[in-house]
Amino acid sequence: MSLAPRLDLRQTQSLVMTPQLQQAIKLLALSNLELEGVIAEELEKNPLLAAGGDDGEPPQAETSSEANGDGEPLSADRLIESGDAQADAPLDVDYDVETFHHDSVNDTGSGAGGQLGMDGLSGAGPEDGPDMDALAGEAPSLRDHLLTQAGEVLDGVGLTIAARIIDAIDEAGYLEQPLEELAEALGIPVGDAEQILTVVQNFDPTGVGARNLGECLALQAKEADRYDPCMAVMLAHLDMLAKGQLAQLRRMCGVDEEDFADMIRELRTYDPKPGLRFGGERAAPVSPDIFIARTRAGWSIELNNATLPRLLLDRRYYGELAAGAQDKNGKAWLADCLASANWLIKALDQRARTIVKVATEIVKQQEAFFVQGVAHLKPLTLRTVADAIGMHESTVSRVTSNKYLSCERGLFELKYFFTSGVTGGDGEGVSAEAVKSHIAKLIAEEGRDVLSDDKLVEILNARGFDIARRTVAKYREAIGLGSSVQRRRQKALS
């Protein structure tokens, strides 16, 4: 075996992740409100960028100009106008089959072993693996948690009343505003508001929506099936318990010392501020990124231009700078600013068209939901939408992150429409959310005859849902409804 130098030719295919492509992928995952912060930074760094006006016209209508014939980069409008059906390709990246190289000092190395972080800027080696802490989303706020449960069991006017009640619940879980004022502000009878409040008080965490400490502890005692007449007396006289008037309170409850001590031990296990489990900060109001409306010609899908940042290229200022005396470094800097501005505007246009494309497919797949409600929500996966629009599912995942859709049925996160399901009567899949809706409706209409989980399975099977008892129990607990024994005792106490 001889050792000698030699020359070999090797052909490989890889996708170069340029800073511009990294920026485009990052912009795709941002909501409109988050995009404002990014654009504000770009406006400070790039003097050729200017914020658009509020006339509602698209940015390219104001940035049109003649194509440069002196070797300068093409304008943003020319780049946009030259796009075709593949214009979204730069934002559609298959991380499973491509190999990435970075033209920066944070290169992850060549070869198939390199890994790209979720933000496109990770310099971790292949042995590090993905940063799972970076993938973890923020915990939902108390308001979001309650609104999710309300959307599963209520609709129409009831859902509107519940949302107003939830808005009046403080961070500890208590109803701050008197129910009479809420009813007057909504223009409804107090009885209707009381009925919806009862529904909200059955949500998780137990005790939320109470108007005072006694009511909060009473809700938790009912959940634990310990709310008997003796416990009701104790909760009605918590001031005596706080003052240490134990002997007098025990006589009022009509129990012996052993039972009285057991009641106090039970009371100490309850949470006086159940809402604090979800953190003390109130979530900021959510602005929809997409509007869905039904028209005679079909469905209208539009971006929310009120919150969508608009960028323009200041060509007059560029002309002034280009006409002035410049050295070689100055001309290079000006060319970089122009190229960066053109690419950013194009990336924003690509982002907008990609979002509309994904939203259009979601509406197409879930049209029954928009027409008839949550009971007709179908199971849907990211891959299904990605295959239908010819993109990779990682792109669809970015588009549906942190973005909300507004329609006549309310405000929904795009991720809401991607759920698992069970087999329906016609052989087609039925979303888990639809099954939960049926279970909640059956329990709400059960009256005095409380339905057991076995009975619920029997009714759902008769309606064509192929579902097991353990699945019914899991869905029932997920929407905050107690077992048949707990509901029967609650009805008996009430």
Side-chain angles (χ1 to χ4, degrees):
M1 180 177 179
S2 62
L3 298 176
R6 66 177 185 179
L7 294 176
D8 290 333
L9 292 178
R10 180 179 300 175
Q11 185 177 7
T12 61
Q13 187 176 18
S14 64
L15 178 62
V16 178
M17 289 290 290
T18 63
Q20 291 84 359
L21 182 55
Q22 294 176 15
Q23 181 190 53
I25 295 175
K26 182 179 179 180
L27 293 178
L28 191 61
L30 300 179
S31 66
N32 288 353
L33 297 181
E34 293 171 335
L35 198 59
E36 290 184 356
V38 176
I39 290 182
E41 296 179 1
E42 294 294 331
L43 288 172
E44 292 181 359
K45 294 189 300 183
N46 196 331
L48 299 183
L49 287 174
D54 298 328
D55 53 1
E57 293 195 11
Q60 55 265 36
E62 299 185 24
T63 59
S64 60
S65 65
E66 296 297 329
N68 296 330
D70 54 359
E72 295 290 351
L74 291 175
S75 62
D77 53 315
R78 294 304 183 193
L79 291 173
I80 295 173
E81 290 173 2
S82 62
D84 52 16
Q86 302 298 325
D88 294 315
L91 302 184
D92 186 24
V93 182
D94 186 350
Y95 289 95
D96 298 329
V97 301
E98 299 290 355
T99 302
F100 300 99
H101 302 282
H102 302 276
D103 48 0
S104 67
V105 295
N106 293 325
D107 289 347
T108 60
S110 60
Q115 294 186 4
L116 180 68
M118 292 304 293
D119 58 354
L121 298 175
S122 173
E127 67 278 359
D128 296 332
D131 185 4
M132 301 309 295
D133 293 335
L135 300 179
E138 296 182 359
S141 65
L142 176 63
R143 180 179 181 275
D144 293 338
H145 185 61
L146 295 177
L147 286 177
T148 300
Q149 298 176 77
E152 294 172 349
V153 300
L154 298 170
D155 56 8
V157 178
L159 182 59
T160 303
I161 299 175
R164 183 63 182 85
I165 292 176
I166 291 172
D167 287 338
I169 294 177
D170 63 12
E171 61 185 31
Y174 289 89
L175 185 64
E176 295 178 314
Q177 190 174 359
L179 200 61
E180 292 76 12
E181 295 181 9
L182 284 173
E184 183 179 358
L186 294 172
I188 60 174
V190 179
D192 293 348
E194 187 78 35
Q195 183 179 2
I196 300 299
L197 177 61
T198 302
V199 176
V200 174
Q201 289 177 345
N202 288 326
F203 293 165
D204 177 74
T206 305
V208 73
R211 286 159 283 192
N212 51 61
L213 178 60
E215 187 177 17
C216 177
L217 299 179
L219 292 172
Q220 298 179 57
K222 293 176 182 178
E223 177 69 18
D225 197 21
R226 294 298 301 270
Y227 190 75
D228 50 27
C230 299
M231 181 64 76
V233 173
M234 175 179 285
L235 294 177
H237 299 84
L238 290 176
D239 56 334
M240 297 179 62
L241 184 63
K243 295 177 182 178
Q245 301 173 355
L246 302 183
Q248 183 180 355
L249 183 59
R250 181 176 64 81
R251 289 193 298 269
M252 295 177 61
C253 294
V255 295
D256 56 23
E257 293 183 0
E258 182 178 355
D259 290 338
F260 187 74
D262 183 68
M263 292 170 61
I264 294 178
R265 283 194 296 269
E266 176 72 19
L267 205 60
R268 287 174 177 172
T269 63
Y270 297 158
D271 188 358
K273 296 181 179 181
L276 294 183
R277 305 176 196 173
F278 293 84
E281 295 184 0
R282 186 179 295 270
V286 175
S287 298
D289 299 273
I290 306 168
F291 291 111
I292 305 295
R294 195 175 185 181
T295 63
R296 293 182 180 179
W299 294 97
S300 172
I301 303 172
E302 299 179 356
L303 292 177
N304 186 1
N305 291 324
T307 60
L308 188 64
R310 301 175 63 247
L311 278 183
L312 304 177
L313 190 60
D314 193 341
R315 300 190 177 281
R316 179 177 300 176
Y317 187 55
Y318 170 75
E320 293 177 358
L321 293 178
Q326 296 179 347
D327 56 9
K328 183 177 180 180
N329 293 334
K331 292 182 178 180
W333 171 81
L334 186 59
D336 289 341
C337 289
L338 180 61
S340 175
N342 282 332
W343 176 266
L344 179 59
I345 294 176
K346 180 184 178 183
L348 292 175
D349 177 76
Q350 289 174 328
R351 173 187 178 275
R353 288 186 284 110
T354 305
I355 293 175
V356 171
K357 184 181 295 185
V358 173
T360 301
E361 184 61 28
I362 291 176
V363 173
K364 180 180 178 182
Q365 296 283 347
Q366 300 287 7
E367 185 175 6
F369 164 82
F370 293 99
V371 176
Q372 298 175 316
V374 68
H376 298 271
L377 192 66
K378 297 179 181 179
L380 186 63
T381 62
L382 296 174
R383 182 173 294 276
T384 302
V385 174
D387 293 342
I389 62 178
M391 291 185 176
H392 191 261
E393 58 183 308
S394 63
T395 303
V396 179
S397 178
R398 286 184 178 85
V399 171
T400 55
S401 298
N402 303 318
K403 296 178 183 64
Y404 291 83
L405 176 152
S406 177
C407 62
E408 60 182 7
R409 299 196 173 274
L411 186 66
F412 300 90
E413 189 177 7
L414 291 183
K415 291 287 188 184
Y416 173 81
F417 299 98
F418 297 90
T419 62
S420 59
V422 299
T423 304
D426 53 1
E428 297 184 357
V430 180
S431 171
E433 297 295 331
V435 178
K436 292 178 184 178
S437 175
H438 282 279
I439 293 174
K441 187 175 181 180
L442 288 173
I443 293 178
E445 298 174 351
E446 63 185 0
R448 293 182 177 272
D449 297 330
V450 178
L451 301 175
S452 64
D453 289 346
D454 291 327
K455 187 63 177 179
L456 289 173
V457 171
E458 182 181 343
I459 296 175
L460 292 174
N461 288 338
R463 295 186 178 183
F465 297 101
D466 185 11
I467 190 170
R469 182 184 182 277
R470 61 179 179 274
T471 307
V472 170
K474 180 180 69 174
Y475 288 170
R476 174 180 53 74
E477 293 173 357
I479 57 180
L481 298 176
S483 64
S484 58
V485 175
Q486 293 173 331
R487 301 199 306 274
R488 189 177 293 108
R489 289 175 179 173
Q490 290 177 358
K491 291 181 182 294
L493 290 174
S494 61

